[in-house]
């Protein structure tokens, strides 16, 4: 397969912080036919840089990067696009596309609203 999906989270020095992201990636990997990898913008591994290199080395020609962020703040407007530009220059044989953050998807908003409604009225 020549296409993959990278889930991108911010990162943290606290190793326990990664657990829900790793669990999500593991669950999704079992449901998707597209190869899926978890990566972190900073502070923990695997980094976005290491993940892109690993995918390229395994023959992946294209990867979409889905930020697990609520909104596109400075990191998604500046830092991550800068990382992707640098990665594209370092690895011209893999096409990288930054997708909008999950928080901007209508289904995410609906799911979150359902959880909040359940907690508020439960």
């Amino acid at each position: 397969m020549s296409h993959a999906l990278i889930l991108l989270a911010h990162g943290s020095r606290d190793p326990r912080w990664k657990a829900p992201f790793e669990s999500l990636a593991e669950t999704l990997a079992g449901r998707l036919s597209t190869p899926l990898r978890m990566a972190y913008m900073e502070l923990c591994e695997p980094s976005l840089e290491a993940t892109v290199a690993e995918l390229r080395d395994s023959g992946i020609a294209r990867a979409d990067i889905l930020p697990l962020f609520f909104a596109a703040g400075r990191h998604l407007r500046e830092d991550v696009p800068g990382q992707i530009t640098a990665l594209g220059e370092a690895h011209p044989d893999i096409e990288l596309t930054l997708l909008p953050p999950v928080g901007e998807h209508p289904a995410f908003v609906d799911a979150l609203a359902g959880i909040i409604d359940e907690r508020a009225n439960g």
Side-chain angles (χ1 to χ4, degrees):
M1 178 155 296
S2 64
H3 173 254
L5 178 64
I6 300 170
L7 301 179
L8 180 68
H10 183 278
S12 172
R13 288 183 182 89
D14 182 348
R16 296 169 297 178
W17 175 90
K18 286 175 56 172
F21 295 100
E22 298 296 325
S23 178
L24 173 66
E26 186 177 311
T27 298
L28 290 174
R31 295 181 185 182
L32 302 176
S33 59
T34 301
L36 178 112
R37 300 290 187 280
M38 190 70 230
Y40 300 94
M41 191 190 92
E42 60 184 7
L43 304 173
C44 58
E45 294 295 328
S47 66
L48 182 58
E49 291 80 4
T51 301
V52 167
E54 182 260 323
L55 288 171
R56 184 215 53 218
D57 291 347
S58 69
I60 297 294
R62 183 171 66 91
D64 291 332
I65 301 165
L66 179 59
L68 300 180
F69 289 63
F70 275 6
R74 183 182 58 82
H75 282 316
L76 291 183
R77 287 191 315 269
E78 299 173 15
D79 301 335
V80 174
Q83 283 180 293
I84 292 171
T85 297
L87 285 165
E89 292 168 0
H91 308 291
D93 47 347
I94 185 168
E95 177 187 344
L96 301 171
T97 302
L98 180 61
L99 302 173
V102 294
E104 293 182 2
H105 194 285
F108 180 85
V109 174
D110 289 343
L112 188 57
I115 292 167
I116 292 169
D117 183 55
E118 178 185 304
R119 299 287 197 240
N121 296 315

